[in-house]
Amino acid sequence: PDAKEQIAQAYQRFGILSEPKNIFGTPKLRQVSPSKFESTFPLDDSTIKFTILANSHSHDSRFSLRKFIPTNSTNRLLAAMCAAHSLGDFCLLGPKSCGKTALLSYFFAFLNLTAEYIPLHKDVTTRELLQRRNTDDRGNTVWVDSALLTAMKLGHVVVLDSIERLRKGVLSSLQRLLEDREVSGGGFAVGGGGLGVSEEKYRMLENKIGREELNKRGIWMVHPGFRVVAVARIGSSDGWLTEEILTMFRWVYMPELEKIDEKEVVMGLVPGVDSMVVDQLVEFKERVIMEKDSNLEDCVSTRQLIRIARRTKMFSNDF
């Protein structure tokens, strides 16, 4: 079975995909300590709370929360992402053009998290994920920290975008980092030729041999707030989703937006647009998806529907 069926079978087994009847309200966030936030989700007459570790630096958000129209389904997904994030790394899995990028941007802005995006392609190697080659003022070749290593030291979130494009073995090579929070250089220098370890192991070594000795050996601590968020697209070729990869992440599945939710999003971001036009756009998108025409799928993403709606509003006499 493909990736979607594998995830769906696992969810159905534990009753996670049963028809949701609960209504999620608008989430709220409050800081409970310098290093922790508490996110609260109203659910019917009760609330759900998650504790989130803060970044070591304040979030410089280029994404305004006003650019996102929350619906019951997106609030449900946001709650699932907060739960997964509070426990560790997770992967957001969904079909093409379902709004994964927008939801992640809203997620990071809502939680005041600093995210480092790493776009992936089939030629990316493990070495390139950890370090990049550079030249100093004297023309000597040096290795400098990649965005992944920088995030590990500062406690940022790393977004591995399109992990399905990686060659087999590249993602598996990060298993030690994802599960044990340890990273070493192998045949090249990492963190000045040292070793990154989890906070628990670093504190244990610090009590045993002292911080000065740790610095001499190049042993540094992976920030406890560091997280990896992977993004994957369900497509025709899902051989990348092996049993080994399934155990490396917590999985959040994002389905296509329902017609009523998509209409709410478009009308919320394009106030004043004719509702009949939006109905026609949403209907057209559904027909294209049913036809499974890959050449047209990019033209009917939610982002494109919003652009078309804005144009029809500005030039209503032409339509």
Side-chain angles (χ1 to χ4, degrees):
D2 62 16
K4 183 177 180 180
E5 290 176 348
Q6 285 181 295
I7 300 297
Q9 288 172 5
Y11 280 8
Q12 287 173 348
R13 180 180 177 185
F14 296 101
I16 300 176
L17 285 185
S18 57
E19 188 65 24
K21 297 180 181 179
N22 297 324
I23 304 299
F24 282 79
T26 303
K28 296 180 180 180
L29 184 74
R30 72 182 185 92
Q31 189 165 6
V32 294
S33 73
S35 61
K36 291 183 180 180
F37 287 90
E38 183 182 77
S39 58
T40 305
F41 289 81
L43 175 60
D44 292 338
D45 297 329
S46 60
T47 57
I48 303 176
K49 295 182 179 181
F50 303 105
T51 300
I52 306 295
L53 292 177
N55 283 161
S56 58
H57 294 271
S58 60
H59 175 59
D60 181 17
S61 176
R62 290 170 291 180
F63 184 88
S64 171
L65 294 177
R66 292 175 295 180
K67 295 181 181 179
F68 190 86
I69 305 299
T71 64
N72 185 50
S73 59
T74 55
N75 283 341
R76 188 183 303 113
L77 282 169
L78 189 64
M81 291 164 66
C82 284
H85 181 81
S86 65
L87 296 173
D89 308 319
F90 72 90
C91 178
L92 183 62
L93 180 72
K96 190 176 184 178
S97 303
C98 67
K100 297 186 292 294
T101 301
L103 181 62
L104 273 179
S105 299
Y106 178 72
F107 173 72
F108 295 136
F110 170 68
L111 293 179
N112 286 322
L113 296 174
T114 302
E116 305 284 350
Y117 280 81
I118 302 179
L120 302 175
H121 52 84
K122 64 179 181 180
D123 296 324
V124 171
T125 64
T126 305
R127 171 177 291 194
E128 291 172 332
L129 284 176
L130 294 175
Q131 289 204 315
R132 58 185 177 87
R133 192 190 300 268
N134 204 352
T135 305
D136 61 16
D137 296 337
R138 297 182 178 180
N140 299 318
T141 299
V142 294
W143 289 99
V144 296
D145 289 350
S146 66
L148 178 59
L149 272 183
T150 300
M152 291 170 62
K153 295 176 180 179
L154 298 180
H156 295 172
V157 179
V158 165
V159 179
L160 299 180
D161 195 3
S162 303
I163 60 172
E164 77 281 355
R165 297 177 181 175
L166 291 174
R167 287 180 296 178
K168 290 184 178 180
V170 175
L171 191 59
S172 300
S173 65
L174 297 179
Q175 188 170 17
R176 183 185 177 196
L177 166 63
L178 296 176
E179 296 183 358
D180 301 326
R181 284 298 188 262
E182 290 189 10
V183 60
S184 58
F188 57 96
V190 171
L195 173 71
V197 298
S198 65
E199 180 187 28
E200 181 181 2
K201 188 170 184 177
Y202 185 87
R203 299 302 181 197
M204 180 187 69
L205 292 172
E206 185 180 28
N207 293 332
K208 188 175 182 180
I209 62 177
R211 180 172 297 187
E212 185 176 348
E213 183 64 25
L214 288 176
N215 292 336
K216 289 180 180 180
R217 299 184 185 186
I219 299 177
W220 50 276
M221 182 180 70
V222 177
H223 195 287
F226 166 71
R227 292 289 187 274
V228 173
V229 175
V231 182
R233 179 172 67 89
I234 296 176
S236 57
S237 177
D238 293 310
W240 62 274
L241 191 56
T242 63
E243 293 184 1
E244 183 181 24
I245 301 301
L246 281 171
T247 62
M248 291 170 62
F249 298 100
R250 293 157 185 85
W251 297 85
V252 178
Y253 175 65
M254 182 177 185
E256 290 279 1
L257 276 175
E258 297 181 5
K259 292 172 64 175
I260 186 172
D261 288 337
E262 188 135 42
K263 180 179 178 180
E264 182 181 350
V265 169
V266 175
M267 296 194 67
L269 293 176
V270 191
V273 67
D274 190 337
S275 62
M276 293 183 61
V277 171
V278 178
D279 286 333
Q280 292 173 350
L281 290 173
V282 173
E283 188 68 29
F284 175 70
K285 175 178 180 177
E286 186 177 40
R287 291 182 182 180
V288 170
I289 293 176
M290 290 178 62
E291 291 291 334
K292 297 183 179 180
D293 189 337
S294 58
N295 295 324
L296 289 177
E297 284 183 355
D298 287 338
C299 301
V300 294
S301 65
T302 303
R303 186 183 295 110
Q304 292 294 351
L305 294 190
I306 293 171
R307 290 174 179 170
I308 296 172
R310 284 173 178 158
R311 182 170 180 82
T312 57
K313 178 186 174 183
M314 293 175 62
F315 305 98
S316 57
N317 295 331
D318 297 340
F319 294 90

